[in-house]
Amino acid sequence: MSHKLESVKNLLVFLGKSLLSILEALLFHVISKPRKNVAGEIVLITGAGSGLGRLLALQFARLGSVLVLWDVNKETNEETHQLARDAGATRVHAYTCDCSRREEVYRVADQVKKEVGDVSILINNAGIVTGRKFLDCPDDLMEKSFDVNFKAHLWMYKAFLPAMIANNHGHLVCISSSAGLVGVNSLSDYCASKFAALGFAESMFIETLAEKQRGIKTTIVCPFFIKTGMFEGCTTKCPTLLPILDPEYAVRKIVDAILQEQLYLYMPKFLYFMMFLKSFLPVKTGILIADYLGVFHVMDGFTGQKKKS
C-alpha cells in the first residue's frame, strides 16, 4: 500500500512540476527572460578571425567581456583583436591555434589559463565546409571536417570544463547548424560532423544536470545558412520560410540566447516547425515538403569561402 502511495505521490509531483515548467516557458514567450550580465566574464571564441566568430567577438566587446580569440589564421585574428578594441573591449587576447589538433588545443589552453584566467563562456564556433558529394570528397577533407567541426569540441571541453566545474560557473556554447538537424544533399560530411557536435553538446548538458552542476549552462545553436561567405553560392527556394540569414541578425539572436541561458536556438523559427513535422509525418510526406522547399538543391550553386590572395 505504501509503495502505491509513493508512486501516486511521485506522479503528482512530476505532473505538478511539468505543468509549472510549461507555464514558465509560456510566460517567457510573453515577457522577456532576464538577461545575465557578462561584463568581466572571460569569453573564448574559436574561429574568431572572420565571419560569425568576429561578429560574436564585437558583440561581447560591447558587453564588457574579456575576450580570448582563437583562430588558425593569425592575420585575420589580429584584425578581429583590433576591431574588438575599437568596439570598446579593454582586455582582448588573440591566440593562433588549430583547434583540430588536440595537443595544440591543450598547449594554447594552458597558456590562456596562465595569462588570462579561467574561461567562463566557451563558444565552439570554428567550422569548415567541403560542399562536395560524398563520393567526390577526398578522405582527408572528410577527416578535417570532423576534426574541426566536431572533435575540436571534445578537446575544448576537456581543456576548459574542469575549471567551470570547480567554480560551479560556466556556459558552453555549441554553434551547430540546421544541417545538424536534417540531412542535406552534398553536405554528408558536414551534416555528420554537425549532428555529432549537437549530440555531444546535448549529452554534456544532460551530464552536468545529472552531476548537479547547476552553475554550468549550455546553449546549442542551429542556424540555416548565414551570409558570412562560408556557404557562398547557396540559394533558397523559399526565402520567406527559409531565408539565408543576415549575419548581424544571427549574432544578435545568438548572444541574446546566451544571455537568457536558452538551451536551443534554431534560426529561422520555421526550423522548430520542421523538426516537429519530421517527428511524426510519413517519410514520403517529409520528402515532398523538402522538395517543395528546394532543400535538395540548396547546394547546387555552392562556391564556398573566397580565400584572400
Side-chain angles (χ1 to χ4, degrees), residues 202-245:
E202 197 170 61
S203 296
M204 288 306 301
F205 164 68
I206 297 299
E207 188 170 308
T208 56
L209 273 186
E211 295 296 320
K212 295 182 169 50
Q213 295 156 354
R214 305 295 182 186
I216 300 172
K217 310 300 179 183
T218 296
T219 296
I220 301 169
V221 182
C222 297
F224 189 57
F225 299 145
I226 304 174
K227 296 175 192 172
T228 58
M230 187 175 180
F231 284 93
E232 192 68 35
C234 293
T235 57
T236 176
K237 184 180 174 183
C238 295
T240 305
L241 297 176
L242 283 176
I244 294 179
L245 301 167

Side-chain angles (χ1 to χ4, degrees), residues 32 75 83 122 126-127 132 135 150 169 173 213 231 269:
S32 292
E75 181 184 349
L83 289 169
L122 172 62
R132 304 187 188 186
L135 293 179
F150 165 55
H169 178 71
V173 182
Q213 295 156 354
F231 284 93
K269 287 185 177 180

Side-chain angles (χ1 to χ4, degrees), residues 2 6 19 33 51 73 100 108 110 122 146 222 237 258 268 285 290 295:
S2 60
E6 188 66 24
L19 180 60
K33 192 176 181 182
N73 188 316
S100 68
V108 180
D110 286 339
L122 172 62
F146 271 83
C222 297
K237 184 180 174 183
I258 294 169
T285 309
V295 173

Side-chain angles (χ1 to χ4, degrees), residues 21-37:
S21 68
I22 293 168
L23 290 174
E24 181 186 52
L26 291 172
L27 178 64
F28 286 136
H29 269 290
V30 179
I31 303 169
S32 292
K33 192 176 181 182
R35 289 159 177 78
K36 65 182 177 184
N37 182 7

Side-chain angles (χ1 to χ4, degrees), residues 165-177:
I165 293 171
N167 299 327
N168 194 31
H169 178 71
H171 200 136
L172 303 161
V173 182
C174 167
I175 307 297
S176 182
S177 169

